[in-house]
Amino acid sequence: MDTVRPAPLDLTGDLALARAAFDAFLTATPAKADVRAATTDLGGVPVVDVRVDGAPDPGGVLLYLHGGAYVVGSARASVRLASAVARAGGARAVVVDYRLAPEHPHPAAVEDAVACYVALLASGVRAEQVVVVGESAGGGLALALEVVLRDRGLPQPAGTVVFSPWTDLTLSGASHHERAALDPVLSAAALAPRAAQYAGAAGVGEPLVSPLFADLRGLPPLLVQVGSAEVLLDDATGLAARAAAAGVPVTLEVEAGATHVFQLHHGTDPAADAALQRVGTFLRRVLERG
């Protein structure tokens, strides 16, 4: 297949410049005209509430966690993809502007995600109406959130969707070497210092930093999508294997030749469009079950 190859994510240089460049890349193509995005607050954390005009009354809420290796990215920059996922699933999205490292290392991002989820339930939304969606680092954060919810005795959401999840900040996966020449976006050399900055005193092997090593028992149904041409391939396949071993209903989809978070290219890449259609099917199924 012909896969649209994204611009490289430069995590090696000046962080302020990297943040500006990353947001500019993600917002260069705006969301569709019928998408409304409002900045608000949830549990003391800034969020962007994303809705599609003219859509039926949404039957669910996506708690959406953006990517960016925990050091770049923003809720505003992820509106386009979040809105596409919401459209596919007949839901609305709440995109979390969690705190970034190195200014705010672990557990700041996890605390922000938990605060948003708890506040969402306090607002009257039932857990069965919520699906957690995460891209890249946000995928790892989604799993860490659900582990914390389980350990605190809080209700789990209806399901989880992760795109190219970063679940192993120790970078132990063989795909970091085997896929290095294929991946135009990420590299172990670029990720390693950012992993250390995010982990802080907890260390990169801490299960809430690297949820590949967490106890995943009791987590909700999980859909994992990843490209075969990315260094995080083993993060995704390893997650799926460990989730299945823990009794979590899991679906793993590996898109041949696709690169990191290829779903960003919906509207121009048929593989991305098809992937989002499958996400929509998953979302409707787990939300109807709730």
Side-chain angles (χ1 to χ4, degrees), residues 5-250:
R5 297 177 75 81
L9 168 57
D10 182 9
L11 292 172
T12 60
D14 178 86
L15 198 51
L17 294 177
R19 286 172 176 169
F22 188 69
D23 277 20
F25 170 64
L26 290 182
T27 57
T29 302
K32 290 186 176 181
D34 62 352
V35 172
R36 290 184 292 119
T39 301
T40 182
D41 177 278
L42 188 60
V45 179
V47 300
V48 177
D49 188 279
V50 178
R51 301 173 187 250
V52 179
D53 279 338
D57 187 35
V61 181
L62 310 180
L63 189 66
Y64 194 98
L65 303 169
H66 69 79
Y70 296 108
V71 297
V72 302
S74 67
R76 180 184 66 86
S78 287
V79 164
R80 180 173 176 270
L81 182 52
S83 66
V85 179
R87 187 188 303 275
R92 69 180 176 96
V94 176
V95 190
V96 181
D97 227 350
Y98 58 86
R99 288 169 289 172
L100 299 178
E103 298 92 337
H104 303 285
H106 178 79
V110 178
E111 291 173 345
D112 288 351
V114 171
C116 285
Y117 183 83
V118 170
L120 196 60
L121 299 191
S123 75
V125 177
R126 293 180 291 110
E128 295 84 1
Q129 295 174 289
V130 181
V131 174
V132 181
V133 182
E135 56 178 79
S136 194
L141 183 56
L143 276 299
L145 161 65
E146 291 168 354
V147 169
V148 171
L149 296 178
R150 182 202 61 206
D151 291 350
R152 293 185 184 178
L154 295 170
Q156 288 288 338
T160 319
V161 177
V162 291
F163 304 140
S164 302
W166 192 20
T167 64
D168 177 8
L169 274 66
T170 72
L171 309 180
S172 65
S175 56
H176 280 286
H177 309 288
E178 296 171 351
R179 306 288 164 165
L182 301 175
D183 193 329
V185 183
L186 296 174
S187 69
L191 288 172
R194 301 311 187 185
Q197 287 176 327
Y198 171 66
V204 292
E206 154 66 33
L208 291 182
V209 173
S210 293
L212 181 65
F213 308 124
D215 176 1
L216 303 178
R217 288 176 294 177
L219 270 57
L222 171 64
L223 172 62
V224 183
Q225 291 185 340
V226 66
S228 69
E230 55 175 306
V231 296
L232 296 186
L233 177 60
D234 284 359
D235 287 56
T237 59
L239 168 65
R242 287 185 58 83
V248 176
V250 57

